[in-house]
Amino acid sequence: MQTSEIKRRNFLKIAGLGGATALIASGAVYQMTKVSSDAKAKVVVIGGGAAGISVASRLMRWLKTPDITIIDPSDRHYYQPGFTLIAGGVYSPDEVWLNQKDCIPSGAKWIKDSVVALDPDKKNITTAKNGNVQYDFLVLTPGLVLRWDLIEGIDESTLGNGNAHCIYTHNGAIKASKAMKEFAQKGGKGIFTDTYTKHKCGGAPKKVCLLTEHQSRKNNRRDALDINFYTASKQLYDVKYFTPRLLEIYQERNVKLNLNTRVKGIDTVAKKALLQTVKDGKVIKSVYEDFDFMHFLPPMTAPQFVKDAGLSVVGGKRDAEMWVDVDKGTLVHKKYPNIISLGDVAGIPTSKTSAAIRKQVPIATLNLISLMEGKQPEQIYDGYAACPIITDYGHLIMAEFDYQKNRKNTFPFSILDMSKESRMGWLLKVYGLKPMYFYGMLNGLA
């Protein structure tokens, strides 16, 4: 307990910003003595991202004799919410990552490899280089896949060609930063898009758009830019409490809003985007639009091995996206009760954000321990997610909501009207959330 308290004090010191400290004081840090279980089983975690590492850290703390193996091929662990701030010039590229070996919880085994197949009936995992791995219980957190193959004319290796960018990779964010700055100075036509599948951090495309717009105003060049935002959705935002002010911001800043529109292809030589208007699942219009700067998102799906293993949702409009078919409350797989899944890969009706994962982790971990003890899972996740939508350099709207799209209130935001822009939210986003992630959440402390 003494060692845990030292780590906790260090975390509080690192996260010392008032807002972050307030979140911790309000109960975000779980006591190290909250759970102490005698349950014994071999637990394998597929994926060493936010969800996988955080669950593994909890298990290492809450099981008396943990047997935890993490399978992940990465050398680096990225704080992906920071990619937007790299693009915006707020963070340097090296501020958002740590070596993966330093993020693996002490005592856990790390197999540095990729999963190529999974057989849930035989409880067997096939890796690319290390053969087969058996498990008793599985934590399925491989994240999602950026489907560059579903956008014609561009892929991850050619990001930046023709001034078409995507900040959803570290290198992509670095390239976009220079291009955003130049576009905001020079002017021209800008196209900003999201995508038609469920995707991580749904607010990021809006943030990139609004940060670019603000840069142009700071350069006294706003009149030189024609800014167009395309969303594949039927509305700009689907949480009613926050939508009115967002719409006002787009109108006030003369950002042209286009609904029900997706990117089909990008001609990086001609600098044209093929955009399709889709209603009721049918393409009703296809047009080529010129651009001088473009930020787009590729569609996103679960890894193919999830579907091949029979673990994905079947039926409905999300069928092709292959998300893991879990109970949205307990996060336990609907067919295989020895599998827990959370994070970006989970087929649950909430946003794919780090804030959502932070709330899912203790629930998933406690339910997994209950299953290991031969009990029924009792902890229920209410769908909480948070999306800090940056509206300019210095302000954001902190959108917090649940499965029903009802507004949620976490201290200190419960005392503020977060349907409007907040300076406190910006300070927390820039200075508080990253240390909370690296030194709190990944260590099982927040």
Side-chain angles (χ1 to χ4, degrees), residues 195-215:
T195 191
Y196 56 89
T197 61
K198 290 276 285 185
H199 49 280
K200 68 170 68 183
C201 193
K206 302 176 183 67
K207 301 173 194 178
V208 175
C209 178
L210 294 177
L211 284 174
T212 304
E213 190 277 337
H214 191 201
Q215 283 192 42

Side-chain angles (χ1 to χ4, degrees), residues 34-317:
K34 184 178 179 69
V35 177
S36 180
S37 175
D38 291 318
K40 295 181 180 180
K42 181 175 183 179
V43 180
V44 175
V45 180
I46 296 179
I53 294 290
S54 299
V55 170
S57 292
R58 299 265 181 183
L59 290 171
M60 293 302 301
R61 294 181 182 280
W62 291 349
L63 295 174
K64 291 182 180 179
T65 55
D67 181 0
I68 313 299
T69 298
I70 300 170
I71 304 175
D72 187 89
S74 306
D75 291 308
R76 292 181 176 184
H77 187 108
Y78 290 103
Y79 174 63
Q80 295 181 38
F83 289 177
T84 306
L85 294 177
I86 291 176
V90 179
Y91 286 168
S92 70
D94 286 339
E95 286 186 78
V96 301
W97 64 272
L98 296 175
N99 288 317
Q100 182 73 307
K101 64 181 178 63
D102 296 326
C103 297
I104 301 293
S106 178
K109 181 182 178 182
W110 177 25
I111 299 176
K112 191 174 181 296
D113 204 346
S114 300
V115 172
V116 296
L118 173 61
D119 187 336
D121 293 312
K122 296 181 179 178
K123 303 178 185 178
N124 182 72
I125 300 162
T126 303
T127 64
K129 300 176 182 177
N130 288 269
N132 295 329
V133 179
Q134 296 288 134
Y135 64 86
D136 297 313
F137 290 87
L138 179 65
V139 179
L140 187 54
T141 53
L144 49 69
V145 179
L146 302 176
R147 295 294 301 275
W148 307 103
D149 59 306
L150 298 179
I151 301 288
E152 298 171 2
I154 198 168
D155 58 33
E156 183 176 359
S157 68
T158 58
L159 284 180
N161 288 5
N163 221 17
H165 298 271
C166 177
I167 65 150
Y168 274 62
T169 70
H170 186 243
N171 193 47
I174 295 170
K175 290 182 179 180
S177 179
K178 182 174 183 290
M180 285 169 58
K181 184 177 180 180
E182 291 177 350
F183 174 62
Q185 292 172 338
K186 183 183 295 185
K189 182 177 180 179
I191 291 179
F192 300 81
T193 80
D194 57 24
T195 191
Y196 56 89
T197 61
K198 290 276 285 185
H199 49 280
K200 68 170 68 183
C201 193
K206 302 176 183 67
K207 301 173 194 178
V208 175
C209 178
L210 294 177
L211 284 174
T212 304
E213 190 277 337
H214 191 201
Q215 283 192 42
S216 72
R217 284 189 282 125
K218 292 197 295 182
N219 294 330
N220 294 316
R221 294 287 293 163
R222 180 62 185 89
D223 291 343
L225 274 68
D226 176 14
I227 300 180
N228 303 266
F229 187 83
Y230 293 85
T231 175
S233 300
K234 62 182 179 181
Q235 55 192 329
L236 177 61
Y237 201 57
D238 63 352
V239 185
K240 291 182 183 179
Y241 183 79
F242 304 101
T243 304
R245 180 55 191 152
L246 280 172
L247 285 171
E248 288 178 357
I249 289 170
Y250 274 63
Q251 292 167 358
E252 291 168 1
R253 300 180 189 175
N254 193 26
V255 176
K256 299 169 186 174
L257 179 61
N258 305 271
L259 306 178
N260 300 306
T261 305
R262 61 179 61 175
V263 182
K264 175 64 174 176
I266 301 172
D267 185 334
T268 59
V269 176
K271 298 181 74 170
K272 293 178 180 288
L274 175 57
L275 303 173
Q276 295 182 332
T277 302
V278 179
K279 288 188 178 181
D280 300 322
K282 297 181 179 179
V283 177
I284 62 173
K285 183 173 68 173
S286 294
V287 296
Y288 282 95
E289 291 285 352
D290 296 322
F291 64 85
D292 297 291
F293 172 89
M294 181 175 185
H295 181 268
F296 73 100
L297 265 62
M300 303 180 195
T301 70
Q304 184 64 41
F305 76 80
V306 171
K307 181 177 182 179
D308 293 343
L311 297 175
S312 61
V313 176
V314 177
K317 68 177 183 178

Side-chain angles (χ1 to χ4, degrees), residues 312-322 325:
S312 61
V313 176
V314 177
K317 68 177 183 178
R318 299 295 180 195
D319 185 22
E321 296 169 30
M322 306 183 293
D325 193 15

